[in-house]
Amino acid sequence: MPDVYRDQRILREKIIPAELIYAAKMFRREMFHVSVPRNNLHHICGTDLIRDKAGTYFVLEDNGRTPSGVSYVLEKPLGDEARVPTLFGAYRRTGN
């Protein structure tokens, strides 16, 4: 992903046709050369962990997509705040 919005080597070398990128509804020209901390472009990631018989953890799957059900996690605190405003009164609000 950083290549599409920065060097565009993948397009220059015709690995992916440029028209596929530029015509995509999610492509944003305003994101050219935008830097993000640690080049981390995913703020939410669905990671499935498993543990073997010895107790060692392994990553079974690591998805750079929105995991199902994440909207509940993101919206629930906002709903709670609206229903019980005193519950969050002592905390500083971040974000929107």
Side-chain angles (χ1 to χ4, degrees):
M1 187 64 114
D3 185 61
V4 170
Y5 289 111
R6 293 189 188 128
D7 299 335
Q8 294 194 325
R9 192 180 114 220
I10 199 166
L11 302 180
R12 280 195 319 277
E13 294 178 8
K14 300 187 185 322
I15 296 169
I16 295 177
E19 58 271 11
L20 284 179
I21 300 299
Y22 296 136
K25 69 178 183 177
M26 300 304 289
F27 177 74
R28 296 288 180 255
R29 290 187 183 277
E30 59 268 26
M31 294 303 294
F32 276 121
H33 305 293
V34 171
S35 295
V36 295
R38 299 181 186 145
N39 287 325
N40 185 357
L41 299 173
H42 299 285
H43 66 282
I44 297 176
C45 182
T47 304
D48 296 333
L49 299 176
I50 59 171
R51 188 167 49 181
D52 67 7
K53 291 180 181 178
T56 304
Y57 285 96
F58 293 92
V59 175
L60 177 64
E61 189 175 17
D62 193 3
N63 297 303
R65 59 180 169 75
T66 304
S68 62
V70 77
S71 61
Y72 297 111
V73 174
L74 297 174
E75 291 297 323
K76 186 174 180 338
L78 299 175
D80 289 344
E81 185 176 0
R83 285 189 297 276
V84 189
T86 57
L87 183 65
F88 294 91
Y91 300 99
R92 184 174 64 91
R93 185 179 178 99
T94 61
N96 302 8

